[in-house]
Amino acid sequence: MGGLMNVVVIGGGPSGLAAAEVLSNAGCDVTVIDRMPTMGRKLLMAGRSGLNLTNVETGPSLLGRYGAAAEWLAPTLDAFSPSDMVRWAEGLGQRCFTGSSGRVFPDVMKASPLLRAWLRRLAEQGVRFRTGLRWTGWSVQGALRFDGPTGEECVTPDVTVLALGGGSWARLGSDGHWTQVLLARGVSVAPLRPANCGFRVEWSSAFRERFAGAPLKRVTLSFGGEKSRAEAVITERGLEGGGLYALAAPLREAIERDGEAVLRIDLRPDMDVATVAERLSRVRARESLSNRLRKALRLPPVAVGLLREDGDVPSDTGALAHRIKALPVRLVGTDTLDRAISTAGGVRQEAVDQQFMLRALPGVFVCGEMLDWEAPTGGYLLQTVMATGRAAGKGALAWGREKNRRPEPVA
C-alpha cells in the first residue's frame, strides 16, 4: 500500500460523506460511490420540513436517548458532540439557532444549501463522486463489485467504508440489501425493524373516513411508565407523529412480544382528573356529547371520535373524566419498514471493533444506520449518523496507516 491510501466509501448520505471528509482531509485518495443519481437524497428529504441538525442535550441526558446502545456510542458522541456539529455546519456557512425544545436548525431551515456547500468542499479536497452504481458484494479475489449502466465493475481499494443506511425510504437509496451480503460473510447483523415509525390501529371505517389526517394537538401519550407530550396524527392505518416516535421502541417490543400494545392518551394533560370532572359537571347533561366536551374542555371532534372508538362513552362524570385522562388505544402492529423515519437493527456491536471495523472483514468499516442503534427524532439521529461516520473515517485512516507500516510476512 504505497503512496496515497485509496479509500472507497459506499453510500453518499451524511455518514458516508462524514467519513469521506475525515479521510480526504488527511490526504487520502477518496471515492464516494452511490447507487442513486445524486448524493444526500435522504438528507434532503429529512430537511423538507426543517433540517434538525442536532440537539443541545449533553451528558447522561443525551446518552439516555440511545437506550441499550448508549455505552457503546458514548465515546463517538463525545468525539463529535452537538456543539461540534454546530461548529461544523457554521464552517460551511450555515448559521444555526436553537429552538425552544433544544433542537438545533440552520437559519435557512433547509438541507440543500448545507449539502451543496459540503459537496463543494469535499470536491475541493479531492473527493471523487460516482453515482448510479449499486454495490453487490465482493468478488472471489476480494474486489468490490458494482452493477452499473455498462455492466459490472470491480474496484480494489486499500480500505472500504460502508455507509449504506438502514432499510427505510428505499426510494432514496437505503433498501437494506447489504444485510444479506454481510451475513453471507459471517458478520452478525440484527434484523432491521421500523424505528420512529407509525403504528397500526384497527379503526372503525366511519372514524377512518372522517378523521384520517387529523392532528392530535396538546396531548400526552404514555406507555410502560414513559410519557411523551407532543403531537400525533390520525392516519388511515393508525397513528404517527413525533409524540409516538419517542415511545416507538418500547411499543414495538411489546407488540412483538404480546401481539399488541395499549397506548394511553391524555386528551387534557394540563388538567387533573378532578378538574376535568368539575368542568364536565358544569355543562347540562342533556347536551350532546360533542357539545358537552367542546364547552367543558374544548375538545375537538377528533378527540370525541377517539372516545367513541373505545366503546360506549361513560355517562358518569367521574368515569368520563378518567377516560379522557387515560384513553386506551390498541396498537396492533408497526407501519411498514419503508415508511419508517429510521430503522433499528443492523451490524451488532460485537461484530465491530472500537473503530467500527468489521471483525470478520479487516479493512472494512461501517457507520451510520448500518449499525445496531436507534434514537428518537429531535436531532439525535443525524448527530449519531455524522458522529459514527467520522469515527469510521478516523478508524479507517488509523488502520490503513498501521498496515502500511507493518512489514509483509515472509513467504
Side-chain angles (χ1 to χ4, degrees):
M1 193 185 338
L4 295 179
M5 185 169 75
N6 178 265
V7 184
V8 168
V9 177
I10 306 177
S15 63
L17 297 179
E21 185 165 46
V22 168
L23 288 157
S24 62
N25 196 44
C28 297
D29 181 10
V30 181
T31 302
V32 180
I33 299 176
D34 198 282
R35 75 180 182 93
M36 303 304 289
T38 55
M39 302 285 160
R41 290 200 163 197
K42 196 170 181 180
L43 179 66
L44 291 174
M45 177 63 77
R48 287 182 61 181
S49 58
L51 180 63
N52 187 187
L53 285 170
T54 186
N55 196 291
V56 295
E57 282 187 335
T58 58
S61 178
L62 172 64
L63 291 177
R65 301 292 184 175
Y66 299 93
E71 184 177 354
W72 178 30
L73 296 175
T76 301
L77 291 167
D78 184 58
F80 187 72
S81 67
S83 58
D84 292 326
M85 174 75 98
V86 172
R87 283 191 290 271
W88 170 82
E90 293 186 339
L92 288 169
Q94 303 302 306
R95 291 184 57 186
C96 300
F97 72 94
T98 302
S100 57
S101 64
R103 300 183 182 202
V104 179
F105 302 87
D107 282 353
V108 296
M109 294 293 288
K110 298 178 181 178
S112 51
L114 183 144
L115 181 61
R116 284 196 299 269
W118 195 8
L119 292 174
R120 183 167 56 249
R121 186 166 74 184
L122 289 172
E124 290 170 354
Q125 290 179 188
V127 176
R128 293 184 298 276
F129 301 100
R130 298 196 63 194
T131 59
L133 294 173
R134 181 183 177 88
W135 179 63
T136 60
W138 289 271
S139 69
V140 175
Q141 293 77 24
L144 296 169
R145 300 172 61 187
F146 297 90
D147 280 341
T150 60
E152 183 176 87
E153 293 188 32
C154 290
V155 180
T156 308
D158 298 320
V159 183
T160 301
V161 178
L162 301 179
L164 291 154
S168 62
W169 297 12
R171 63 191 174 88
L172 301 178
S174 55
D175 60 6
H177 83 282
W178 55 266
T179 57
Q180 296 307 310
V181 177
L182 293 189
L183 284 168
R185 288 279 176 152
V187 178
S188 180
V189 179
L192 298 181
R193 299 179 293 167
N196 293 299
C197 59
F199 287 83
R200 292 188 291 110
V201 182
E202 295 174 339
W203 302 127
S204 67
S205 57
F207 180 85
R208 183 187 305 112
E209 290 169 7
R210 181 176 180 187
F211 294 113
L216 289 174
K217 298 183 178 181
R218 297 183 297 276
V219 298
T220 294
L221 310 179
S222 61
F223 179 77
E226 297 185 38
K227 293 185 177 182
S228 171
R229 185 162 184 173
E231 292 188 9
V233 178
I234 305 294
T235 70
E236 289 188 353
R237 298 169 302 280
L239 279 169
E240 65 182 23
L244 207 60
Y245 301 155
L247 304 173
L251 286 169
R252 183 190 64 231
E253 290 169 4
I255 292 171
E256 291 174 352
R257 182 184 65 245
D258 305 325
E260 67 177 36
V262 178
L263 177 75
R264 298 282 175 173
I265 303 179
D266 185 345
L267 297 171
R268 274 293 170 259
D270 51 333
M271 303 178 188
D272 59 22
V273 173
T275 303
V276 171
E278 191 274 330
R279 292 204 176 190
L280 287 170
S281 67
R282 296 181 193 174
V283 182
R284 292 176 298 181
R286 67 169 178 259
E287 292 271 8
S288 69
L289 177 66
S290 294
N291 282 341
R292 190 180 179 197
L293 295 174
R294 177 178 55 81
K295 291 179 179 180
L297 303 169
R298 296 184 179 178
L299 288 181
V302 64
V304 181
L306 278 172
L307 286 166
R308 288 182 168 137
E309 282 292 288
D310 188 45
D312 293 336
V313 179
S315 56
D316 176 76
T317 298
L320 179 56
H322 278 93
R323 175 84 65 87
I324 289 167
K325 292 291 293 178
L327 175 65
V329 176
R330 190 169 65 94
L331 311 181
V332 297
T334 60
D335 210 336
T336 63
L337 180 65
D338 192 52
R339 293 183 62 88
I341 289 178
S342 59
T343 52
V347 176
R348 300 181 193 269
Q349 179 179 354
E350 62 267 24
V352 295
D353 66 12
Q354 293 181 335
Q355 297 179 312
F356 299 113
M357 184 174 75
L358 292 171
R359 298 185 189 278
L361 298 168
V364 179
F365 294 76
V366 293
C367 54
E369 280 196 74
M370 289 185 70
L371 297 166
D372 184 14
W373 61 274
E374 63 179 305
T377 57
Y380 311 106
L381 294 170
L382 185 55
Q383 175 66 47
T384 310
V385 162
M386 289 282 292
T388 57
R390 291 180 63 85
K394 290 179 180 178
L397 182 63
W399 184 86
R401 286 174 171 172
E402 177 62 26
K403 188 172 188 296
N404 202 30
R405 285 195 295 266
R406 189 181 305 140
E408 294 294 329
V410 177

